[in-house]
Amino acid sequence: MSAETDRSKAGIPKLADVARQAGVSTATVSRCLNDPSVVSERTRQKVMKAVERLGYAPNFGAQALAAKRTNTFGAIIPTMENAIFARGLQAFQEELGAHRTTLLVASSSYRPDLEEEQIRALVARGADALLLIGYDRTEATYEFLRQRNMPFVVSWAFDAGHSATTVGFDNRQAMQTLAAQVIDLGHRRLALISAERRDNDRARERVAGVLAAMADTGLAPDDLTIVEVPYSIENGSSAFAQLMARADPPTAVLCGNDVLAAGALTQAKAMGLSVPDDVSITGFDDIELAQIVDPPLTTVHVPHRDMGREAARTLIAARNGTEKVSSLKLQTQLVWRQSLGPAPKTG
Amino acid sequence: MSAETDRSKAGIPKLADVARQAGVSTATVSRCLNDPSVVSERTRQKVMKAVERLGYAPNFGAQALAAKRTNTFGAIIPTMENAIFARGLQAFQEELGAHRTTLLVASSSYRPDLEEEQIRALVARGADALLLIGYDRTEATYEFLRQRNMPFVVSWAFDAGHSATTVGFDNRQAMQTLAAQVIDLGHRRLALISAERRDNDRARERVAGVLAAMADTGLAPDDLTIVEVPYSIENGSSAFAQLMARADPPTAVLCGNDVLAAGALTQAKAMGLSVPDDVSITGFDDIELAQIVDPPLTTVHVPHRDMGREAARTLIAARNGTEKVSSLKLQTQLVWRQSLGPAPKTG
DNA sequence: TTGTAGGCGTTATCAT
DNA sequence: ATGATAACGCCTACAA
């Protein structure tokens, strides 16, 4: 009882405590922990027992301060609320884990100022490398990264013209391919429920993809109605309702991602509209949700797991500084499911 | 060009660089940054300009080492793959953000050994407090936490008998209430698709809840078929198929969470079964998905956002050490939707 | 293989 | 209001 109290009041064990307990020097303890191959087995045993007995854990601050590396990578994603980034991040972490590297995740709520804050926090914390989503951030942020010589990779996007190392996919191209199919099915009055484009290059590129497909077929940009809302099922629903309330409602509603599309679908059902007979709906991402809704969503499959894994490998290579790192463009794939059909004969 | 090169090769600016640039001592710079009210306005201006010019950012390791606090909380969740923890965590983070505290998230893949590793990592990194999910972890882990005097709160569960500060809900009670309703509707052959119970007290408690409800009505435990699978839509589907293939298929399939239920529902549809006419299905959590599937899920609403917010407040109080912290039990709520109906007249 | 000792960048105490 | 300077806990040449 009193021992218990004493113990909790006692200071946190430090390297020196372990050293004393084991009857060796701090240097030996340090070596035991960081490069066991260099100490004798007998010493190692002693030290590890002391570590165990004392419940010692290294002080990260001191460790980082002295060693200038942390075996920690950081990732800043816009949101944890929906599954868009979950699968890719999981794969990212799995790959890091295989290399004894810890992942710290922060989320920016789609706000560049918060993202910069999180980047600084992670860098200050000694992250060895960073995973970032998309290109949209201030030049000052890039400058900060460069100045600190911080390895980072941009993901969930791909712009060959950008200097940042990237492991991602071409949002515009992907959306353009999908939109082309929609147009091919006879749809002329199109609508797009997009994420907010400000500070979100992926969203902008997807919009651009739709417009490009339309231009290819001689459709005017005005034939596309765009509604911008934050990603959420509910917002998808209300945006869809708003679109269908127009005098000249669209025959196909493309959505910036599957979450919005799921909302749109639900709303269509609530309005007694048949999908795809009355109106077609498409998504983007191909998260699990896309297969669950009824009808299942025609969407763009993004290789999230590959992306996460490859991003991790790229960063690990960059951290080790051995290989030269290079960008990697992954392919997306159109997934045909029932939510997309031919345009209705006439309105 | 060469300036650029020089710059990137130049070391990271430190406090002393700023001090030199501003013509003051390091102590003054430190004060400027941490408690500006105590330095003269003129000095502050000078220092801030130097900070700006040099792109200075404090070294977290050194800071943590010297100040013994980090304004960083950690959270270890079992998985980021599905939305179960997303909403609560988002609320947790929002509350922390309002108190200038950063959140670092790690995930354990439902493995206690990894969880302990992550806990140690976060503690070593100087986390001021931790959010943990559920009670299942080794005594050694608790001992470690206690020894380091690390404030932590257990969430997503509630056991009045446990000594750990908890902000959560009673999984057993919640599931028992739901199961009682199912039984009340005449269902006698019940099945449960559960998450793996090993190392997961929430899953065990939910199973216990079903059994308790059955016992209340005099049903034998044998009347419940249990299938254990990791959380995923696909696993929900295959488990459901397996259950319905039995000689005496259940009339109601309860699921450990909404994700499994969504999978079960999809599978039912694929098998041409009508829900709830042929078979009833229920979920747990009330994530967005529950309202999207068709028919929408009868489920247990968990106040994720409240839980996250309150957990944050509790930890902040604990960190500040002013107020005495206490556990908080939140109420869940049964949500009636269409996936649950009366038992079919006869098999 | 093991020990000694200097240094990592900040904070905070004590003078001034 | 500001400056010197001693911790903080660990790593890593360098020595033995």
Side-chain angles (χ1 to χ4, degrees):
Chain A
M1 184 57 193
S2 108
E4 189 71 350
T5 307
D6 288 355
R7 191 167 191 178
S8 64
K9 283 183 99 73
I12 294 161
K14 57 179 69 168
L15 203 62
D17 297 325
V18 178
R20 195 176 320 118
Q21 172 91 205
V24 299
S25 74
T26 59
T28 298
V29 178
S30 174
R31 282 190 284 256
C32 261
L33 267 23
N34 297 308
D35 187 5
S37 71
V38 81
V39 305
S40 79
E41 179 58 17
R42 220 175 70 74
T43 308
R44 207 183 62 76
Q45 300 277 347
K46 269 194 312 191
V47 170
M48 291 323 254
K49 196 162 359 177
V51 165
E52 195 72 20
R53 197 191 312 290
L54 267 45
Y56 168 81
N59 176 304
F60 175 80
Q63 201 170 328
L65 190 56
K68 296 177 174 310
R69 61 171 168 58
T70 60
N71 290 328
T72 301
F73 284 11
I76 296 104
I77 59 175
T79 178
M80 308 192 193
E81 279 266 18
N82 61 50
I84 311 180
F85 302 104
R87 230 173 30 215
L89 212 61
Q90 183 80 27
F92 185 74
Q93 175 171 28
E94 284 168 13
E95 185 68 19
L96 293 188
H99 292 261
R100 306 204 55 67
T101 298
T102 303
L103 173 63
L104 261 22
V105 182
S107 93
S108 68
S109 302
Y110 284 99
R111 283 175 46 188
D113 56 331
L114 287 187
E115 195 212 25
E116 176 161 1
E117 201 171 288
Q118 308 275 25
I119 288 176
R120 283 177 183 276
L122 252 12
V123 167
R125 249 157 261 269
D128 294 334
L130 294 182
L131 176 71
L132 304 177
I133 307 299
Y135 296 102
D136 271 13
R137 55 188 58 82
T138 64
E139 184 48 42
T141 304
Y142 280 115
E143 179 57 24
F144 173 80
L145 257 12
R146 239 178 275 130
Q147 184 179 324
R148 312 299 282 240
N149 225 330
M150 173 66 43
F152 69 96
V153 17
V154 167
S155 195
W156 263 263
F158 194 94
D159 176 358
H162 200 285
S163 65
T165 301
T166 307
V167 175
F169 60 95
D170 187 328
N171 284 277
R172 183 194 308 220
Q173 195 176 67
M175 191 54 126
Q176 182 170 353
T177 303
L178 172 61
Q181 294 295 335
V182 172
I183 295 169
D184 222 44
L185 284 166
H187 294 279
R188 288 300 175 270
R189 295 197 310 274
L190 305 180
L192 174 60
I193 305 179
S194 170
E196 295 179 286
R197 279 172 285 184
R198 184 188 163 91
D199 303 324
N200 185 336
D201 51 298
R202 289 88 64 214
R204 284 200 305 281
E205 286 294 298
R206 292 179 194 181
V207 173
V210 176
L211 292 172
M214 292 175 64
D216 284 347
T217 333
L219 291 178
D222 285 350
D223 292 328
L224 178 67
T225 312
I226 301 177
V227 182
E228 268 191 34
V229 292
Y231 284 140
S232 87
I233 291 186
E234 196 165 323
N235 284 338
S237 293
S238 55
F240 182 83
Q242 180 183 333
L243 285 169
M244 300 312 283
R246 295 169 63 94
D248 205 27
T251 62
V253 176
L254 292 80
C255 298
N257 79 355
D258 290 343
V259 174
L260 292 175
L265 216 49
T266 306
Q267 181 63 24
K269 213 174 296 181
M271 295 170 71
L273 292 172
S274 162
V275 177
D277 295 339
D278 297 326
V279 57
S280 283
I281 294 177
T282 66
F284 198 110
D285 278 339
D286 195 25
I287 59 179
E288 270 189 323
L289 183 58
Q291 308 184 46
I292 294 313
V293 292
D294 181 31
L297 287 172
T298 291
T299 187
V300 174
H301 178 79
V302 175
H304 287 111
R305 291 197 61 86
D306 292 349
M307 195 161 61
R309 182 167 24 76
E310 292 304 328
R313 288 182 182 167
T314 303
L315 281 179
I316 288 167
R319 190 254 321 255
N320 296 345
T322 57
E323 323 165 33
K324 186 138 159 220
V325 305
S326 57
S327 293
L328 177 60
K329 180 175 173 178
L330 300 169
Q331 294 307 316
T332 56
Q333 201 168 354
L334 191 52
V335 182
W336 282 90
R337 299 206 187 89
Q338 285 93 297
S339 73
L340 172 61
K345 290 297 182 236
T346 282
Chain B
M1 183 57 195
S2 105
E4 188 71 348
T5 308
D6 289 355
R7 191 171 193 172
S8 63
K9 283 184 100 72
I12 295 162
K14 58 178 69 167
L15 205 61
D17 297 326
V18 178
R20 196 176 318 116
Q21 171 91 206
V24 299
S25 75
T26 59
T28 298
V29 177
S30 176
R31 281 190 285 256
C32 261
L33 265 24
N34 296 308
D35 187 6
S37 71
V38 79
V39 305
S40 80
E41 178 60 17
R42 221 175 69 76
T43 307
R44 208 183 61 76
Q45 299 278 348
K46 270 192 313 191
V47 170
M48 292 321 258
K49 195 160 5 175
V51 165
E52 194 72 20
R53 196 190 314 287
L54 267 46
Y56 168 80
N59 178 305
F60 177 80
Q63 212 165 16
L65 188 56
K68 297 176 174 310
R69 63 174 167 56
T70 61
N71 289 328
T72 301
F73 284 11
I76 297 104
I77 60 176
T79 178
M80 309 192 192
E81 279 266 18
N82 62 49
I84 311 179
F85 302 105
R87 232 178 22 219
L89 212 62
Q90 183 80 25
F92 185 75
Q93 175 170 31
E94 284 168 12
E95 186 67 20
L96 292 189
H99 293 261
R100 305 205 55 69
T101 298
T102 304
L103 172 64
L104 261 23
V105 182
S107 93
S108 68
S109 303
Y110 285 99
R111 283 174 46 190
D113 56 329
L114 287 187
E115 196 212 25
E116 175 162 3
E117 200 171 290
Q118 307 275 24
I119 288 177
R120 284 178 182 276
L122 253 11
V123 167
R125 245 157 264 271
D128 294 333
L130 293 181
L131 175 71
L132 304 177
I133 307 300
Y135 296 102
D136 271 12
R137 54 187 58 82
T138 64
E139 184 48 41
T141 305
Y142 280 115
E143 179 57 24
F144 173 80
L145 257 12
R146 241 177 274 130
Q147 187 178 324
R148 313 299 284 242
N149 223 332
M150 173 66 43
F152 70 95
V153 17
V154 168
S155 196
W156 264 262
F158 194 93
D159 175 358
H162 201 286
S163 65
T165 301
T166 307
V167 175
F169 60 95
D170 187 328
N171 284 277
R172 182 193 310 216
Q173 194 176 69
M175 191 55 126
Q176 183 170 351
T177 303
L178 172 60
Q181 295 294 336
V182 172
I183 295 171
D184 221 44
L185 283 166
H187 294 279
R188 289 299 174 270
R189 295 198 309 275
L190 305 179
L192 173 60
I193 305 179
S194 170
E196 296 179 285
R197 280 171 285 183
R198 184 190 163 89
D199 302 325
N200 185 337
D201 51 298
R202 287 90 65 213
R204 284 200 306 279
E205 287 293 300
R206 292 179 194 181
V207 173
V210 176
L211 291 172
M214 292 175 64
D216 284 347
T217 333
L219 290 179
D222 285 351
D223 292 328
L224 179 67
T225 312
I226 300 178
V227 182
E228 269 191 33
V229 292
Y231 286 139
S232 86
I233 290 185
E234 197 165 321
N235 285 337
S237 293
S238 55
F240 182 83
Q242 180 183 332
L243 284 169
M244 301 311 284
R246 295 169 62 93
D248 204 28
T251 62
V253 176
L254 292 80
C255 298
N257 79 355
D258 291 343
V259 174
L260 292 175
L265 215 49
T266 306
Q267 182 62 24
K269 212 174 295 182
M271 295 169 70
L273 292 171
S274 163
V275 177
D277 294 339
D278 297 325
V279 57
S280 284
I281 294 176
T282 65
F284 198 111
D285 279 339
D286 195 25
I287 58 178
E288 271 189 322
L289 182 58
Q291 308 184 48
I292 293 314
V293 293
D294 182 31
L297 287 172
T298 290
T299 188
V300 174
H301 177 78
V302 175
H304 287 111
R305 291 195 61 85
D306 292 349
M307 195 161 62
R309 183 167 21 78
E310 293 304 329
R313 289 182 182 166
T314 302
L315 281 179
I316 289 168
R319 190 254 320 255
N320 296 345
T322 57
E323 323 165 33
K324 186 137 158 223
V325 305
S326 57
S327 292
L328 177 62
K329 180 174 173 180
L330 300 168
Q331 294 307 316
T332 57
Q333 203 168 352
L334 191 53
V335 181
W336 283 90
R337 298 207 187 88
Q338 284 93 299
S339 73
L340 172 62
K345 289 296 182 239
T346 284

